[in-house]
Amino acid sequence: MGEGPRRQRGPRGPPSPGGGHGVGKAAGTGAKELTTGGLGARRDEGKSREGAVRMVRRSRRRKLQKVTRLCGREEGLRVKRSCPSCGPEPGGEEKKGRGNPISVQLFPPELVEHIISFLPVRDVVALGQTCHYFHEVCDAEGVWRRICRRLSPRLREQGSGVRPWKRAAILNYTKGLYFQAFGGRRRCLSKSVAPLLAHGYRRFLPTKDHVFILDYAGTLFFLKNALVSSTLGQIQWKRACRYVVLCRGAKDFASDPRCDTVYRKYLYVLATREQPGMVGTTGSRACDCVEVYLQSSGQRVFKMTFHHSMSFKQIVLVGQETQRALLLLTEEGKIYSLVVNETQLDQPRSYTIQLALRKVSRCLPHLRVACMASNQSSTLYITDQGGVYFEVHTPGVYRDLFGTLQAFDPLDQQMPLALSLPAKILFCALGYNHLGLVDEFGRIFMQGNNRYGQLGTGDKMDRGEPTQVHYLQRPIALWCGLNHSLVLSQSSDFSKELLGCGCGAGGRLPGWPKGSASFVKLHVKVPLCACSLCSTRECLYMLSSHDIEHHPTYRDLPASRVVGTPEPSLGPGASQDPGGTARACEEYLSQIHSCPTLQDRMEKMKEIVGWMPLMAAQKDFFWEALDMLQRAAAGVGPGPPNPES
């Protein structure tokens, strides 16, 4: 009755074109249209926000340009993640959603320098090698002034030189005193205490109980050995673990010249002190003086003051305790001497000492001495022209050095003897009965007694004249002891290594207990900025300090004087022998063949590897391989490699 046909329920099938599913489809289409309209609104809102952000960034950039007063052409150097001097990043304009890149050059220079000054010195140097812009920024004195104030807050003055702040910062960053004991269970490299007041390290001297260090500001520090408590609560004896300031205004210092530190009882310090003026005058004058301290306690026991017109720069000692001669080198290159009796220094008294001009300055007044070196019975002088003159005071040392007593005069021991050398000498090392010289081309010459192979020539024959060690060149430091020698050298990858030859008793040549007649690499980890070394009976010391204005600059040897250049051909088909390499190899083989046992042949082969002009990595490889073969021949397992080797 008035009711239309009802829809019957049944199983669902495919939707009919005119059925109820069509209504649902129409409703779904309308919802989709509504959703699309919502997305469009969101996109418009996002675009408006992005445009607002761009406007804010553009206004900030304009303000920054106005403050820093940058010219318009620098806008083209905008870089986001690349070097500021290499131009914009390719494809950077097309990338959306990352914002506009900002150049480092847009920052004020003072802000960039302030940020860089917080980096470690190693990172500042590395950053300065990336591009021209950072090279100029990292090389600015403002950056190094901030770094220097951070490293040494108590440093008031920047020092001297062309780049004073950079020099001061690097000196204080690289300073350090390292030592390795020859005896005991732990044979590793240790570092001494670093005085906070020290302005770099210039010189050091170990004595019987302590170590003395002179910095570039003229302050002499007294590093004491003491009993300290370890992390485990044990009391142990530690070297150079405490320090005090001994004196200020020091120029140089010296002690007993013998290699054994037992004899170093007193320390002689050359210093400048303010002296009151004469009666009736006002003010004071700066005078040089020599102050004598006890090395055990640091107490001053004697003082000698010189006239204000005399200015000295170096002091060395020579002779016995009862007739100790003090040699003083003036700024003009003249040498004066005076004699004191050390056995009477602790007696309180006052007397006048007469300075006398040394015979080398009286007989050769035209010579200007640049530096001196001495031991107990001889003295060596190097002039500003690179000449070398000798004083020998005992016949035994004279025979060891020159092989004869023909020119020795016991009544005139101060007579200087000139050494014949092919080039200008830069620095030297003087042992008890042998010496080492380094010329301007970086060549090493050795002379004297060679009983233990301390000359490094590969044999044990004495040399009465300077003999070149051909397989060593351009050393950083050279040291000669009682019966062994040490050379600090730098490899091609700028790493340092320590070479030694001579007697190896007592562990003085780590890794070579039997010694060596040629320079071999010692098992010592050398600091990167090591510049000088010293060896005593108990310990090996190395001083680390890098001065950017004072380092040995070697010249290149002319081609006509280079050892190993091919000799002129004698005719067609004639073979050329570059420097006698083939003859040297034949000599090496004959030496190996003459060894009676396999172990001796292995040791001889290690020495020969040290003689050959190989790179440091190649020498290390051959030495390690020979060690493995030697252990295998002896029936010992290979074991882990030694980290210090």
Side-chain angles (χ1 to χ4, degrees):
M1 294 179 61
E3 294 181 2
R6 293 185 176 181
R7 191 177 174 187
Q8 296 180 1
R9 295 182 178 180
R12 291 186 178 183
S16 60
H21 290 282
V23 177
K25 184 178 181 180
T29 305
K32 185 176 181 181
E33 292 177 355
L34 291 175
T35 306
T36 306
L39 289 175
R42 291 178 183 177
R43 287 181 180 177
D44 294 340
E45 184 179 358
K47 289 182 179 179
S48 62
R49 289 181 180 178
E50 188 174 343
V53 171
R54 290 179 180 176
M55 292 179 61
V56 171
R57 290 179 177 176
R58 190 180 298 109
S59 62
R60 289 179 179 177
R61 185 163 58 253
R62 289 176 180 175
K63 290 181 181 180
L64 185 60
Q65 292 177 1
K66 185 177 180 181
V67 171
T68 56
R69 299 179 180 179
L70 296 176
C71 57
R73 59 178 180 174
E74 292 183 352
E75 295 183 6
L77 298 177
R78 300 171 186 171
V79 180
K80 186 175 182 181
R81 292 184 180 180
S82 61
C83 172
S85 61
C86 298
E89 183 180 1
E93 299 293 339
E94 300 177 358
K95 296 180 180 179
K96 298 180 180 180
R98 295 188 180 183
N100 295 328
I102 299 177
S103 172
V104 179
Q105 291 180 336
L106 299 179
F107 297 138
E110 294 80 6
L111 179 60
V112 178
E113 293 180 359
H114 182 72
I115 295 174
I116 294 178
S117 64
F118 286 95
L119 296 175
V121 176
R122 185 189 297 270
D123 295 340
V124 173
V125 175
L127 181 63
Q129 298 175 352
T130 56
C131 66
H132 180 69
Y133 172 76
F134 279 124
H135 175 73
E136 293 183 351
V137 174
C138 295
D139 202 45
E141 280 292 283
V143 174
W144 293 106
R145 182 179 65 252
R146 293 184 176 92
I147 294 176
C148 189
R149 293 286 174 82
R150 176 167 54 87
L151 294 176
S152 302
R154 302 183 182 182
L155 185 63
R156 302 302 179 185
E157 298 179 358
Q158 71 272 24
S160 60
V162 181
R163 305 295 307 279
W165 286 113
K166 183 177 182 179
R167 177 174 180 250
I170 293 179
L171 280 175
N172 289 279
Y173 177 75
T174 59
K175 67 181 180 182
L177 179 64
Y178 300 85
F179 57 89
Q180 178 172 330
F182 294 142
R185 297 180 180 178
R186 297 184 60 187
R187 297 185 181 182
C188 59
L189 199 67
S190 304
K191 187 177 181 180
S192 68
V193 62
L196 298 177
L197 299 176
H199 178 40
Y201 291 162
R202 191 174 73 180
R203 270 200 63 202
F204 78 102
L205 179 67
T207 58
K208 179 182 177 181
D209 303 316
H210 311 290
V211 181
F212 296 87
I213 292 182
L214 178 64
D215 70 349
Y216 283 85
T219 305
L220 186 60
F221 293 91
F222 182 22
L223 273 61
K224 298 183 177 182
N225 303 337
L227 291 172
V228 296
S229 177
S230 63
T231 56
L232 301 177
Q234 300 177 353
I235 302 299
Q236 60 182 0
W237 181 259
K238 192 173 182 181
R239 294 178 182 270
C241 60
R242 298 176 182 175
Y243 75 92
V244 295
V245 177
L246 186 66
C247 66
R248 302 181 187 274
K251 293 183 176 182
D252 195 15
F253 63 102
S255 185
D256 192 292
R258 283 173 283 191
C259 299
D260 196 346
T261 57
V262 176
Y263 301 103
R264 297 175 183 175
K265 181 180 179 181
Y266 294 100
L267 187 75
Y268 294 76
V269 180
L270 176 64
T272 301
R273 297 286 182 261
E274 293 290 334
Q275 299 294 332
M278 302 294 293
V279 179
T281 60
T282 59
S284 59
R285 292 178 176 178
C287 300
D288 285 355
C289 64
V290 173
E291 298 176 343
V292 184
Y293 295 86
L294 279 173
Q295 70 86 26
S296 57
S297 61
Q299 178 185 0
R300 194 181 74 180
V301 296
F302 194 73
K303 181 179 180 180
M304 295 173 283
T305 304
F306 307 106
H307 194 264
H308 63 85
S309 62
M310 305 190 70
S311 179
F312 303 100
K313 65 178 183 179
Q314 187 184 3
I315 178 174
V316 297
L317 307 182
V318 65
Q320 300 289 339
E321 291 87 344
T322 56
Q323 291 289 325
R324 183 76 74 194
L326 278 66
L327 304 185
L328 300 168
L329 177 62
T330 65
E331 298 289 347
E332 294 79 17
K334 303 298 180 182
I335 299 175
Y336 289 85
S337 64
L338 58 93
V339 179
V340 297
N341 188 356
E342 282 190 356
T343 60
Q344 301 178 357
L345 288 178
D346 54 352
Q347 300 178 5
R349 59 173 180 167
S350 177
Y351 56 92
T352 303
I353 300 177
Q354 183 68 32
L355 276 176
L357 194 64
R358 200 70 173 178
K359 192 165 187 177
V360 64
S361 297
R362 285 190 284 110
C363 297
L364 305 171
H366 61 283
L367 293 181
R368 183 184 177 94
V369 179
C371 62
M372 304 180 295
S374 69
N375 60 21
Q376 183 181 0
S377 56
S378 60
T379 310
L380 187 144
Y381 308 107
I382 298 179
T383 65
D384 57 348
Q385 300 298 325
V388 178
Y389 292 85
F390 234 120
E391 284 184 15
V392 184
H393 306 151
T394 59
V397 176
Y398 191 96
R399 184 188 297 107
D400 289 337
L401 289 173
F402 298 99
T404 180
L405 290 175
Q406 183 177 359
F408 180 73
D409 187 1
L411 302 179
D412 192 5
Q413 300 177 357
Q414 295 186 13
M415 187 65 188
L417 304 172
L419 293 183
S420 178
L421 295 163
K424 178 181 178 181
I425 298 300
L426 297 184
F427 60 93
C428 68
L430 185 59
Y432 173 68
N433 52 11
H434 74 288
L435 62 99
L437 304 168
V438 180
D439 69 354
E440 57 183 339
F441 301 112
R443 298 176 298 181
I444 299 178
F445 296 87
M446 306 294 290
Q447 178 180 347
N449 186 282
N450 199 22
R451 179 180 179 182
Y452 298 93
Q454 60 262 41
L455 300 184
T457 55
D459 52 37
K460 297 184 179 181
M461 297 174 57
D462 297 345
R463 299 295 195 278
E465 58 184 11
T467 303
Q468 182 181 355
V469 183
H470 293 281
Y471 57 90
L472 285 182
Q473 290 183 352
R474 298 176 179 265
I476 299 174
L478 176 65
W479 186 86
C480 294
L482 181 64
N483 48 27
H484 73 292
S485 304
L486 301 176
V487 170
L488 182 64
S489 63
Q490 180 173 285
S491 59
S492 57
D493 57 351
F494 299 101
S495 62
K496 304 292 178 61
E497 59 182 10
L498 186 62
L499 307 175
C501 65
C503 180
R508 65 190 68 183
L509 296 181
W512 304 85
K514 296 182 179 180
S516 174
S518 61
F519 283 98
V520 292
K521 183 179 179 181
L522 305 182
H523 295 179
V524 177
K525 185 179 179 181
V526 182
L528 182 62
C529 297
C531 60
S532 63
L533 69 157
C534 176
S535 179
T536 63
R537 180 180 294 180
E538 304 87 6
C539 197
L540 171 67
Y541 296 89
M542 286 181 287
L543 186 71
S544 172
S545 182
H546 181 69
D547 191 352
I548 61 176
E549 296 183 359
H550 297 85
H551 56 276
T553 54
Y554 296 114
R555 296 173 51 194
D556 293 331
L557 194 64
S560 59
R561 301 169 63 179
V562 174
V563 177
T565 54
E567 299 177 357
S569 177
L570 300 177
S575 61
Q576 295 180 351
D577 185 8
T581 306
R583 293 190 299 271
C585 292
E586 292 178 0
E587 178 64 23
Y588 295 157
L589 289 175
S590 63
Q591 293 180 12
I592 296 175
H593 186 267
S594 62
C595 296
T597 62
L598 179 61
Q599 297 294 333
D600 294 339
R601 292 184 179 183
M602 289 289 186
E603 294 294 338
K604 178 57 68 174
M605 187 60 193
K606 291 180 183 179
E607 294 184 9
I608 293 174
V609 170
W611 302 341
M612 291 183 173
L614 302 175
M615 298 179 62
Q618 295 173 339
K619 290 184 179 181
D620 293 342
F621 167 74
F622 283 118
W623 280 331
E624 187 65 25
L626 290 171
D627 284 337
M628 293 173 60
L629 294 175
Q630 191 173 6
R631 289 193 296 265
V636 182
N642 188 2
E644 295 183 357
S645 63

